[in-house]
Amino acid sequence: MIRLGAGRVDRVGAVGAHCDDIAIGAGGTLLTLCRARPGLRVDALVLTGGGGEREEEERAALAAFCPGADLRLTVLKLPDGRVPVHWDEAKAAVEELRAQGDPDLILAPRTDDAHQDHRHLAQLVPTAFRDHLVLGYEIVKWDGDLGRPAAYQPLTPETAEDKVRLLQEHYPSQRGRPWYDREAFLGLARIRGIECHARYAEAFAVTKLTLNLGG
């Protein structure tokens, strides 16, 4: 297993189509980054769920997943399941996020995610963030679209447990869903950990990566 770092990360951009996407896909990575870098700036954008219970959940959740960070969250009101037909609004939101600064790392959905909202957002991200490291997170779902990831962030057992606990605490609206449980989240993290010689991990797709091996 080759271990390459991304260099010093002082600013992160995180985007999700729905409230809870970022936490499910990259919550452990955010916990790891924010605990290692107090004061880390996190600019987060969520396209749907604004103005109601879901936004309240998201704000509390991301504050918990980004301890000690300078968190700046925007939650829009695009209709859930209809993001592709709101291309202009979604693209404008991603471009506005880009205009806020130059993050060292972007956490986003995978371009081959089976959910149309996730996939649409993933396709928009590189149109605005052209020279950035973009890690495409995965979300387990009934579609069976999990693939072979290219990048892994190992998680300590404590971080993996914290991620599951925070997901259960902060998204009560999702607890009744059949896939939303401890076994699903921890089980996937265990599998990804096996793949990178760790106990637990989060895994990501990488569509383009520039190396600086001689720098």
Side-chain angles (χ1 to χ4, degrees):
M1 175 63 67
I2 299 174
R3 296 181 179 270
L4 295 176
R8 182 176 175 88
V9 177
D10 294 312
R11 186 165 181 170
V12 174
V15 297
H18 314 103
C19 297
D20 77 18
D21 284 356
I22 296 170
I24 291 173
T29 297
L30 285 174
L31 284 169
T32 300
L33 281 167
C34 292
R35 288 169 173 170
R37 295 256 189 267
L40 176 76
R41 173 147 170 195
V42 179
D43 294 284
L45 168 67
V46 179
L47 297 183
T48 69
E53 174 191 25
R54 294 286 278 146
E55 179 175 353
E56 293 178 4
E57 290 181 344
E58 186 75 340
R59 292 192 177 278
L62 289 190
F65 275 103
C66 301
D70 177 9
L71 174 63
R72 308 183 188 195
L73 170 62
T74 300
V75 184
L76 303 183
K77 299 180 180 179
L78 299 186
D80 188 346
R82 298 291 185 272
V83 169
V85 298
H86 292 270
W87 176 275
D88 288 344
E89 297 97 319
K91 183 171 176 60
V94 172
E95 290 177 344
E96 174 61 26
L97 181 68
R98 176 66 181 92
Q100 292 174 15
D102 195 26
D104 303 299
L105 170 67
I106 301 292
L107 300 170
R110 295 161 32 237
T111 54
D112 57 351
D113 193 298
H115 193 296
Q116 69 273 12
D117 290 353
H118 301 172
R119 187 172 62 252
H120 174 81
L121 175 56
Q123 292 167 349
L124 282 174
V125 168
T127 70
F129 295 94
R130 294 183 177 273
D131 299 309
H132 298 76
L133 175 61
V134 179
L135 297 181
Y137 56 73
E138 56 185 357
I139 298 177
V140 64
K141 62 180 85 64
W142 74 272
D143 305 82
D145 63 350
L146 299 180
R148 298 185 64 182
Y152 297 84
Q153 172 57 52
L155 305 178
T156 65
E158 294 77 15
T159 298
E161 290 284 356
D162 285 345
K163 173 183 175 177
V164 174
R165 174 178 56 81
L166 292 175
L167 286 172
Q168 294 293 335
E169 287 180 4
H170 288 288
Y171 296 104
S173 66
Q174 304 303 297
R175 290 175 190 157
R177 297 182 179 272
W179 55 269
Y180 196 93
D181 60 31
R182 171 186 170 81
E183 289 179 301
F185 298 132
L186 209 56
L188 180 58
R190 179 69 187 109
I191 291 171
R192 296 317 190 195
I194 290 171
E195 294 173 352
C196 69
H197 302 297
R199 182 65 185 174
Y200 298 105
E202 286 178 338
F204 301 91
V206 181
T207 54
K208 185 180 291 188
L209 175 66
T210 300
L211 300 176
N212 183 24
L213 299 179

